[in-house]
Amino acid sequence: MSLSLYDNYTRSLRPFSPLNLNGEVGLYTCGPTVYNDQHIGNYRTFLFEDGLKRVLTWNGYRVCHVMNITDVGHLTSDADSGEDKMEKGARRVGKTAWEIAKIYTDAFLNDLDRLGIARPTILCRAKDHIKEQIDFIVDIEKKGYTYQTDDGIYFDTSKQNDYGHLARLHREGLEAGKRVDTGGKKNITDFALWKFSPREGKRQMEWESPWGIGFPGWHIECSAMAQKYLGNYFDIHCGGEDHISIHHTNEIAQTQARCGTRLANFWLHGYFLLSNDEKMAKSAGEFLRVQSLIDRGYDPMAYRYLCLTAHYRKQLSFTWDALDAAAVALDRLRHGFFSLPADPHALPDDVILNEITLAMNDDLNFPRALAICWDTLRKTADAKIKRATLARVDDVLGLRLSQWQPQEVLVPDAVIALANARQAARSAKNWAEADRARQAIADLGWEIEDKPEGYRMKPIGKKS
Ligand code: AMP
Ligand code: ZN
């Protein structure tokens, strides 16, 4: 029943075993670029990575999880042109790049907590590792992999025969078909390691280097920090599917040049959250934050539940109907779990736990694990054992079932008075007055639902 994971480097499902014999798994996941809030698409990838970590722990491994914060060097264009997203974002909100790095890093960490995503073991910021990045570039420069242009130091991808293996890129094909201006680059796939500050106008974030004042390219931060904290070759590297063709391809190229390894044994990618059939993106019209869900009355854990219903290697279309369905299902699961009696001496059902292990170890099949939870809840079995089993399974689902309890909703006196007046009007068949009372209740932010036994009040937009 060993853990199998789909590795995009070899394009195959492979049995996982840690490289380090002491059983600690090294995991590097590409973190956010902190020029704005993250959207819920970004969090789909972070939720997948959290699930992977929980499954590794479920299998008895300790995990050393390193995540970077990109707070310099990520340009608006993947072709190494355009502005630094941080400097542009700083102008947008009228603060410095240093200030927004802190604001959006804090916001990101707060969102992780709201979604039940465990924090990384090591959170490292690109701007705190400039020396490591410069040392890295100096080293690969000595090995002959770099060249200088007017605007920076570039990696020469033609020096590696297997450049682009992860993405199955065919460099010759790309070169032959190139139509775009590559600036001073020798090959279309070459990428910046160090960019010079522009001659006119001063950048907010810039540093001295052997090549002149400037800032690091985006890809070098991950190679440098991953190597610093996890070594030349570690277990698993993750990110979203958009990283396959450029960012991760270039991380591998740099590390191969310096250390002769492909950086990680396994390369796993989370597939996109789509909005109207397109990748959800910050630049696109609709940009949903975790806070946007809360503002509409959703518990962020409903989004976590929604992500669990789809396999991480399949794209998922976001719709409000799908989120509604997830919120209803989560509410039922919570109520079902809450109604089971807790007994600290009850042991989980091993047969069910084995089924969960089979599902999780089959490349993180969370949808199947959820289905097993529902079957468990419906089973006529000892209620205390059912609760102990579901509590244990929640270690991988991360839905915080044990922490939840129904909330008493306090209805304001004014709303109760209006509801009573409406009942009296209905009894007197004064429908116009009853409608007026309903509208007055709605104006105060409440909804009234008629039930056979009377009525029920709930705040408008509240899902449970
Ligand atoms: P960024 O802040 O752009 O560096 O992205 C942070 C993480 O979110 C990266 O791993 C991206 O690959 C991932 N990501 C970006 N857009 C989406 C999306 N629509 N769905 C899922 N993951 C995404
Ligand atoms: Zn990265």
Side-chain angles (χ1 to χ4, degrees):
M1 223 193 274
S2 75
L3 171 60
S4 291
L5 297 170
Y6 190 85
D7 167 33
N8 258 323
Y9 193 86
T10 54
R11 300 277 157 106
S12 63
L13 195 64
R14 296 170 51 206
F16 175 81
S17 59
L19 297 169
N20 188 336
L21 291 180
N22 76 14
E24 183 169 84
V25 174
L27 170 69
Y28 187 93
T29 62
C30 290
T33 309
V34 287
Y35 65 102
N36 202 334
D37 283 315
Q38 301 303 300
H39 57 65
I40 60 171
N42 300 127
Y43 287 112
R44 180 174 190 219
T45 293
F46 299 131
L47 281 163
F48 137 65
E49 293 158 352
D50 185 60
L52 168 65
K53 236 163 98 173
R54 287 170 186 270
V55 170
L56 289 164
T57 310
W58 177 270
N59 278 277
Y61 301 121
R62 276 178 299 117
V63 181
C64 179
H65 174 204
V66 178
M67 181 192 271
N68 66 305
I69 296 282
T70 299
D71 48 11
V72 64
H74 193 170
L75 303 186
T76 47
S77 153
D78 278 341
D80 292 314
S81 57
E83 216 181 332
D84 188 322
K85 291 186 180 186
M86 293 300 292
E87 306 245 337
K88 189 173 173 194
R91 256 205 332 277
R92 190 191 75 242
V93 292
K95 297 196 184 293
T96 67
W98 305 86
E99 283 167 340
I100 65 160
K102 166 140 183 44
I103 291 169
Y104 292 121
T105 301
D106 290 349
F108 167 68
L109 294 174
N110 187 34
D111 281 346
L112 291 189
D113 296 344
R114 300 202 276 198
L115 290 164
I117 299 176
R119 301 245 182 136
T121 324
I122 296 170
L123 188 73
C124 41
R125 293 162 175 81
K127 67 173 161 50
D128 297 341
H129 294 78
I130 300 298
K131 182 180 174 329
E132 286 82 351
Q133 297 176 71
I134 291 176
D135 288 350
F136 202 117
I137 303 167
V138 167
D139 231 21
I140 56 181
E141 183 178 49
K142 279 191 206 135
K143 295 187 174 187
Y145 285 93
T146 67
Y147 62 92
Q148 183 163 343
T149 71
D150 277 355
D151 72 3
I153 304 296
Y154 281 79
F155 188 96
D156 186 346
T157 53
S158 68
K159 295 273 159 85
Q160 279 173 339
N161 287 337
D162 58 349
Y163 173 83
H165 177 82
L166 174 72
R168 305 297 189 264
L169 293 182
H170 297 289
R171 244 176 28 83
E172 293 77 16
L174 283 171
E175 289 298 326
K178 82 179 173 199
R179 301 261 187 286
V180 290
D181 176 15
T182 55
K185 290 200 287 188
K186 291 187 189 166
N187 310 289
I188 194 167
T189 44
D190 293 354
F191 55 91
L193 297 162
W194 187 264
K195 293 273 284 186
F196 302 136
S197 289
R199 282 185 202 96
E200 65 290 341
K202 194 174 149 39
R203 275 179 57 93
Q204 295 182 31
M205 289 180 164
E206 57 183 16
W207 293 267
E208 296 279 353
S209 82
W211 315 279
I213 294 179
F215 59 100
W218 172 35
H219 317 298
I220 195 74
E221 67 173 86
C222 287
S223 290
M225 293 193 282
Q227 190 194 7
K228 170 169 178 169
Y229 294 109
L230 295 170
N232 294 358
Y233 189 54
F234 56 87
D235 293 290
I236 309 175
H237 193 313
C238 300
E241 62 170 308
D242 51 338
H243 285 349
I244 298 173
S245 58
I246 299 180
H247 182 54
H248 287 172
T249 289
N250 293 344
E251 279 187 44
I252 291 171
Q254 295 163 152
T255 303
Q256 207 155 303
R258 188 184 205 191
C259 314
T261 72
R262 63 172 196 248
L263 190 59
N265 187 10
F266 281 76
W267 286 84
L268 268 61
H269 297 93
Y271 284 68
F272 284 153
L273 182 77
L274 306 179
S275 169
N276 302 324
D277 295 333
E278 307 235 348
K279 171 194 176 200
M280 188 173 282
K282 287 170 208 169
S283 49
E286 200 180 15
F287 164 13
L288 289 174
R289 300 162 164 84
V290 172
Q291 187 60 44
S292 324
L293 307 186
I294 295 172
D295 292 344
R296 289 202 183 202
Y298 292 93
D299 182 332
M301 294 305 263
Y303 180 63
R304 183 178 183 106
Y305 187 99
L306 175 63
C307 290
L308 290 173
T309 62
H311 192 264
Y312 77 93
R313 282 198 296 117
K314 290 213 172 76
Q315 295 187 329
L316 170 65
S317 283
F318 178 80
T319 63
W320 291 106
D321 283 348
L323 187 61
D324 277 340
V328 168
L330 176 62
D331 198 44
R332 287 205 190 118
L333 189 60
R334 283 169 161 172
H335 278 96
F337 180 83
F338 186 78
S339 66
L340 299 169
D343 175 356
H345 302 295
L347 292 174
D349 181 326
D350 277 338
V351 176
I352 297 172
L353 293 190
N354 281 344
E355 281 178 41
I356 293 285
T357 305
L358 278 176
M360 301 308 354
N361 286 2
D362 179 14
D363 196 26
L364 318 183
N365 195 335
F366 278 99
R368 197 180 329 140
L370 268 187
I372 296 169
C373 285
W374 284 107
D375 284 349
T376 306
L377 206 56
R378 286 187 205 110
K379 261 194 185 123
T380 44
D382 183 315
K384 292 174 185 159
I385 294 178
K386 284 207 293 196
R387 187 180 166 107
T389 310
L390 289 172
R392 174 78 181 97
V393 176
D394 198 30
D395 289 345
V396 265
L397 302 182
L399 292 170
R400 296 179 178 150
L401 292 177
S402 306
Q403 290 170 30
W404 182 85
Q405 50 183 341
Q407 280 174 1
E408 282 296 323
V409 182
L410 283 181
V411 187
D413 289 346
V415 175
I416 293 175
L418 281 166
N420 288 338
R422 176 174 169 274
Q423 285 304 89
R426 278 162 62 92
S427 305
K429 299 202 167 24
N430 183 350
W431 308 120
E433 186 54 36
D435 283 348
R436 260 196 300 280
R438 177 189 276 278
Q439 186 53 51
I441 291 169
D443 292 344
L444 291 173
W446 290 76
E447 221 173 322
I448 189 160
E449 272 178 4
D450 293 310
K451 300 266 171 194
E453 67 282 5
Y455 62 85
R456 197 168 83 101
M457 308 297 308
K458 69 174 194 183
I460 289 173
K462 183 102 179 130
K463 297 292 152 196
S464 58

